[in-house]
Amino acid sequence: MSAEYGDGTRVVHSVRAAAGEPFLGGPVFASAYHLGGGNAYGRSDNATWQALEGALGALDGGEAVLFPSGMAAISALSRVVLAPGDVVVVPSDGYYLTRTLVAGLPVRVVEAPTVGPYPSFEGVRLVLLETPSNPGMDVCDIAALSAAAHAAGALVAVDNTTATPLGQRPLALGADVVVSSDTKAVAGHSDVLLGHVSTVDAELAARVRAERTTSGAIPGPFEVWLAHRGLGTLDLRLARQAENAAALYAALRGRPEVTGLRWPGAPDDPAFAVASRQMRRFGGVLTFRLRDAAAVADFLSRSALVAASTSFGGLHTTLDRRAQWGDPVPEGLVRLSAGCEDTADLVADVLAAL
Ligand SMILES: *Cc1c(COP(=O)(O)O)cnc(C)c1O
């Protein structure tokens, strides 16, 4: 599908079957191998992966390689690009398992907060950015940091999970690699775990693909098929989620129970200046703090529409108190993922629960 079409058209038409075939061909889950020709063995490649990789690659502006989860994608990338003794820069406030992952590798890890300041990139092999950061919803300037990293000879990867390829195109902004947990808004229905790596570097994509084949960490075709079916409504879902996030931001702002409210789409948010330059839409994820863990539990018990869930980006509004998972953030900090409910219902429910 031509990049000249709008986002909604592109995701809806990300599968376009030939006459007489279903719009979205069935998953190849019943077949471990194909007789003869390409797609010979299901660990190397198959038609269901190719369909979604084609769609995600076109949206990212690169070549996409699917993995069974976001962490599998990040870990495959780190195995491909990092050698013992290399220096890697990761966000100190990003997805906590990314830090756990690199801490276990024979590399030197330098942590930097998403808003900066960043260290010198001299001697650095990989700069892994995450913007907006999960859970803090801070934003960094992908173009400026990519230029600085490239001047020092470093490779730049961006975790684009929170933004999705419709919210932000890191490869077009100068990054070398995108990593994503498609478990969240990309698949969007809270029914699969999935991830991908995208890059404009064909040689790097081939190495990532070879790593997947060798490691054997491959996604199930049925999960890939479900994610592809979900992708068709990404534009619609993000539009409602962002509308709901904007309304919740306005309703929560100034409430005495709420502090540290963050949503990069709000003009008075510290991230807005950079976010409005590099993001194409802001999505539905907000972060704020209630007094403590008990206040969050009370809020959840009184809400009829907000479910406690550690994932985000789905149809339902969900809330996660991050400190319970060992994320080093304040006890009462929550990440709220606005779903696709009616805006008035959601705002009324959240205000009543507060
Ligand atoms: C969820 C998440 C991951 C990990 O993805 P999984 O699919 O759960 O393995 C990585 N990065 C970010 C920013 C995430 O939110």
PDB file of all heavy atoms in Angstrom, residues 32 72 91 190 334:
ATOM      1  N   ALA A  32       3.889 -27.261  10.002  1.00  0.00           N
ATOM      2  CA  ALA A  32       5.249 -27.010  10.456  1.00  0.00           C
ATOM      3  C   ALA A  32       6.194 -26.795   9.282  1.00  0.00           C
ATOM      4  O   ALA A  32       7.254 -26.207   9.407  1.00  0.00           O
ATOM      5  CB  ALA A  32       5.762 -28.173  11.306  1.00  0.00           C
ATOM      6  N   ALA A  72      11.572 -10.458  23.532  1.00  0.00           N
ATOM      7  CA  ALA A  72      12.315 -11.325  22.602  1.00  0.00           C
ATOM      8  C   ALA A  72      12.932 -10.481  21.485  1.00  0.00           C
ATOM      9  O   ALA A  72      14.051 -10.760  21.032  1.00  0.00           O
ATOM     10  CB  ALA A  72      11.390 -12.391  22.016  1.00  0.00           C
ATOM     11  N   PRO A  91      17.679   3.846  28.841  1.00  0.00           N
ATOM     12  CA  PRO A  91      16.969   4.793  29.709  1.00  0.00           C
ATOM     13  C   PRO A  91      16.903   4.308  31.152  1.00  0.00           C
ATOM     14  O   PRO A  91      16.631   3.127  31.394  1.00  0.00           O
ATOM     15  CB  PRO A  91      15.564   4.878  29.097  1.00  0.00           C
ATOM     16  CG  PRO A  91      15.433   3.743  28.157  1.00  0.00           C
ATOM     17  CD  PRO A  91      16.796   3.236  27.819  1.00  0.00           C
ATOM     18  N   SER A 190      -5.495  -7.136  23.751  1.00  0.00           N
ATOM     19  CA  SER A 190      -5.106  -7.835  24.983  1.00  0.00           C
ATOM     20  C   SER A 190      -5.216  -9.348  24.854  1.00  0.00           C
ATOM     21  O   SER A 190      -5.529 -10.044  25.819  1.00  0.00           O
ATOM     22  CB  SER A 190      -5.970  -7.359  26.171  1.00  0.00           C
ATOM     23  OG  SER A 190      -6.108  -5.965  26.168  1.00  0.00           O
ATOM     24  N   VAL A 334       0.777   5.434  38.935  1.00  0.00           N
ATOM     25  CA  VAL A 334       0.024   4.541  38.063  1.00  0.00           C
ATOM     26  C   VAL A 334       0.169   4.973  36.612  1.00  0.00           C
ATOM     27  O   VAL A 334       0.323   6.150  36.300  1.00  0.00           O
ATOM     28  CB  VAL A 334      -1.484   4.502  38.426  1.00  0.00           C
ATOM     29  CG1 VAL A 334      -1.685   3.931  39.812  1.00  0.00           C
ATOM     30  CG2 VAL A 334      -2.145   5.857  38.298  1.00  0.00           C
TER      31      VAL A 334
END
